[in-house]
């Protein structure tokens, strides 16, 4: 038998130490995290699939407009004319490859009631201003839409400032205001479905939804997909939830007109994150947040989404835990910070231990060491097998939820090109799970100690959980936003008119394409 060299001796002793009670605890904990995620995604899949079955039943009973209403009688003129007025407020920043399709899906909604679309930009120099102005001019006789120049924010984030200016400019008869991010791709019946829920239950404070990420193929895009997936189960309750996504929020317009619960002052006076601020207000006043099962929106990620842009996005996501409105909100954010950091590295650690066990076993097999000489225990390989099984169950549950959400999105947008799972690389998803959870803790601690963040070329500084200082410089920020690959600065970021019209023509052509892909 060959004798052990120094490396192998260290490797085998490390493998043995990873079979100690404490190490076994962490490895079992990793298995439990995988199974917990799998169960959560299974429940979310059940809720989304229940909606699919209800739509299919409605179609079987002769309702070919089930993607709008389960009850075809809701389409009667007498009901449509009584629908409440909705103002859709969309804060814009930059122009990218998916914006045209997203904006078009928003303004071509099939909502039967009066609706206005308010696109709010920082200045006319924003590339989004020129692009959306041309799009609106193309639909000027069909929709009520306009561009609003909000100016620079001084006391809150630019996004919140744009939202509040949009609210100030909304129609005085508006009953509900819907905030949308410019990367949200609406379904034809989305506004109607959200409004119907608000009408059904006046106690609802905020209605929200969640994006279905469509990775572009890069590791960064898969990391973002993996980052969003655990949160998706909190938005797939089919009703009450404690989660809130700023990309889609429908609220009562009077809550802003009257500053109920301090929604305006809470956002305006030092607000950094719209959804975290409103969620804190909701919790403090025990107000209801709901998420209907149809509120899941396709979210294509930029085709050139680099890993550095993913890292910038992760930094912004962890930074929101540094903002807060009350002492209770601060305590909750600290609890989220601690638990998320612990669970993220608690998820990654078992895979590192498993790699050591596997490497040690391979060295024994390749070099022909005797088990007595290596002191290698079979317990390590047993733990590896358990973790592999739990990981397979987790990935299968994630795949199933994604499959069902893709199917639901296809049913909710029957006129659009069909989405497909064919492009998803599940090996890359697994790698992204490890990379994202490893980097999360690093990003969270960096956010905690820096207390400042660069968001789309604007650096925000926090003090006592609120924005205390805003620095602006084109030289201090990125040229593109993180997810959409949008140009941020100057007219060079917006395509010239010919390119824009060509792009719009391609978008319309794609919209009218026959459905080529199946799930």
């Amino acid at each position: 038998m060959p004798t052990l060299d120094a490396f192998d001796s260290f490797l085998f002793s490390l493998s043995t130490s990873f079979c100690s009670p404490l190490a076994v605890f962490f490895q079992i904990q990793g298995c439990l995290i995988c199974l917990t995620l799998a169960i959560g995604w299974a429940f979310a899949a059940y809720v989304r699939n229940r909606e699919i079955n209800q739509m299919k039943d409605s179609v079987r009973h002769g309702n070919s407009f089930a993607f709008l209403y389960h009850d075809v009688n809701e389409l009667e003129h007498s009901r449509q004319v009584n629908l409440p007025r909705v103002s859709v407020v969309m804060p814009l920043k930059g122009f990218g490859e998916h914006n045209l399709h997203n904006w078009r899906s928003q303004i071509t909604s099939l909502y039967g009631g009066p609706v206005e679309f308010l696109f709010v930009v920082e200045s006319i120099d924003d590339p989004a201003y020129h692009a959306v102005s041309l799009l609106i001019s193309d639909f000027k006789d069909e929709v009520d839409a306009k561009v609003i120049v909000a100016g620079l924010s001084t006391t809150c984030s630019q996004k919140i400032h744009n939202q509040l200016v949009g609210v100030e400019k909304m129609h005085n008869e508006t009953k509900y205001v819907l905030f949308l991010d410019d990367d949200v791709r609406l379904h034809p019946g989305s506004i109607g479905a959200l409004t119907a829920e608000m009408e059904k239950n006046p106690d609802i404070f905020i209605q929200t939804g969640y994006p279905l990420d469509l990775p572009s193929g890069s590791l960064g895009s898969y990391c973002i997909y993996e980052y969003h997936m655990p949160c998706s189960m909190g938005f797939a309750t089919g009703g009450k939830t404690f989660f809130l996504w700023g990309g889609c929020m429908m609220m009562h317009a009077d809550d802003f007109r009257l500053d109920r619960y301090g929604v305006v002052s809470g956002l305006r006076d030092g607000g950094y994150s719209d959804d975290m601020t409103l969620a804190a207000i909701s919790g403090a006043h025990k107000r209801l947040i709901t998420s209907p099962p149809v509120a899941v929106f396709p979210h294509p990620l930029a085709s050139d989404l680099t890993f550095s842009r993913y890292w910038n996005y992760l930094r912004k996501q962890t930074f929101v835990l540094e903002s807060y409105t009350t002492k209770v909100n601060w305590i909750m954010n600290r609890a989220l910070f601690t638990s998320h950091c612990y669970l993220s590295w608690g998820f990654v650690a078992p895979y590192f231990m498993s790699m050591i066990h596997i490497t040690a076993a391979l060295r024994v097999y390749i070099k022909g060491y005797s088990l007595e000489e290596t002191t290698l225990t079979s317990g390590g390989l047993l733990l590896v097998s358990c973790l592999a099984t739990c990981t397979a169950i987790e990935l299968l549950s994630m795949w199933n939820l994604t499959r069902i959400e893709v199917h639901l999105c296809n049913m909710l947008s029957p006129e659009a090109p069909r989405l497909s799972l064919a492009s998803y690389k599940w090996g890359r998803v697994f790698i992204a799970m490890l990379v994202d959870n490893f980097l999360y803790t690093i990003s969270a601690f960096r956010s905690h100690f820096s207390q400042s963040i660069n968001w789309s070329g604007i650096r925000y500084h926090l003090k006592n959980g609120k924005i205390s200082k805003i620095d602006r410089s084109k030289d201090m920020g990125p040229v593109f936003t993180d997810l959409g690959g949008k140009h941020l600065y100057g007219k060079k970021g917006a395509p010239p008119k010919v390119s824009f019209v060509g792009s719009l023509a391609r978008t319309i052509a794609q919209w009218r394409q026959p459905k080529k892909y199946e799930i």
Side-chain angles (χ1 to χ4, degrees), residues 151-406:
L152 300 180
S153 64
T154 57
T155 62
C156 58
S157 69
Q158 187 65 45
K159 177 185 177 182
I160 289 177
H161 176 69
N162 288 10
Q163 290 173 323
L164 294 178
V165 170
V167 166
E168 291 175 0
K169 302 294 184 181
M170 68 184 176
H171 197 282
N172 57 11
E173 294 182 1
T174 290
K175 187 174 183 180
Y176 302 115
V177 57
L178 174 60
F179 297 105
L180 293 177
D181 281 355
D182 62 359
D183 56 0
V184 172
R185 186 167 294 180
L186 282 187
H187 306 294
S190 293
I191 298 178
L194 293 169
T195 305
E197 291 296 322
M198 297 289 282
E199 290 286 282
K200 188 186 306 180
N201 185 0
D203 290 334
I204 294 176
F205 179 52
I206 307 175
Q207 268 203 108
T208 189
Y210 205 63
L212 168 63
D213 288 328
L214 305 174
S216 59
S218 66
L219 179 60
S221 68
Y222 278 99
C223 285
I224 290 169
Y225 163 75
E226 188 282 329
Y227 175 81
H228 283 157
M229 281 303 290
C231 298
S232 65
M233 63 185 72
F235 291 86
T237 60
K240 181 179 180 181
T241 181
F242 298 101
F243 295 85
L244 183 60
W245 178 51
C248 173
M249 301 184 298
M250 177 173 276
M251 303 180 64
H252 295 270
D254 281 346
D255 287 348
F256 287 89
R257 294 190 182 104
L258 305 176
D259 194 17
R260 286 179 183 150
Y261 318 112
V263 293
V264 174
S265 54
L267 290 168
R268 182 193 58 215
D269 300 335
Y272 166 75
S273 170
D274 53 340
D275 48 15
M276 291 292 285
T277 301
L278 290 172
I281 292 173
S282 174
H285 295 275
K286 297 181 171 54
R287 306 306 299 164
L288 179 62
I289 300 175
T290 65
S291 182
V294 295
V296 54
F297 310 105
H299 181 216
L301 300 173
S303 57
D304 60 346
L305 200 156
T306 61
F307 194 79
S308 63
R309 297 217 315 253
Y310 151 71
W311 170 250
N312 289 335
Y313 176 76
L314 183 63
R315 284 272 291 113
K316 289 193 299 185
Q317 294 302 300
T318 56
F319 190 75
V320 298
L321 294 179
E322 301 304 315
S323 64
Y324 55 89
T325 57
T326 63
K327 185 68 174 180
V328 173
N329 188 210
W330 177 84
I331 294 173
M332 292 182 65
N333 284 1
R334 290 304 92 203
L336 284 171
F337 175 93
T338 304
S339 59
H340 202 155
C341 289
Y342 174 81
L343 292 174
S344 290
W345 275 12
F347 176 83
V348 173
Y351 291 98
F352 171 76
M353 297 178 184
S354 295
M355 182 182 66
I356 297 298
H357 290 312
I358 293 172
T359 303
L362 287 175
R363 296 289 287 186
V364 170
Y365 176 77
I366 294 172
K367 290 202 170 184
Y369 294 125
S370 66
L371 293 180
E372 294 79 7
E373 189 175 13
T374 61
T375 66
L376 187 66
T377 65
S378 59
L381 295 180
L382 178 62
L383 292 170
V384 171
S385 300
C386 291
L387 183 61
T389 302
C390 293
T391 301
I393 295 172
E394 178 193 19
L395 288 172
L396 180 63
S397 183
M398 184 191 293
W399 167 83
N400 183 56
L401 174 58
T402 306
R403 177 186 65 85
I404 289 173
E405 290 187 335
V406 164

Side-chain angles (χ1 to χ4, degrees), residues 120-133 147-152 488-492 494:
V120 190
V121 297
E122 174 186 302
S123 70
I124 61 173
D125 293 328
D126 191 312
Y129 176 84
H130 306 282
V132 78
S133 296
V147 186
I148 298 171
V149 178
L152 300 180
L488 295 178
Y489 302 118
K491 295 183 179 180
K492 66 178 182 180

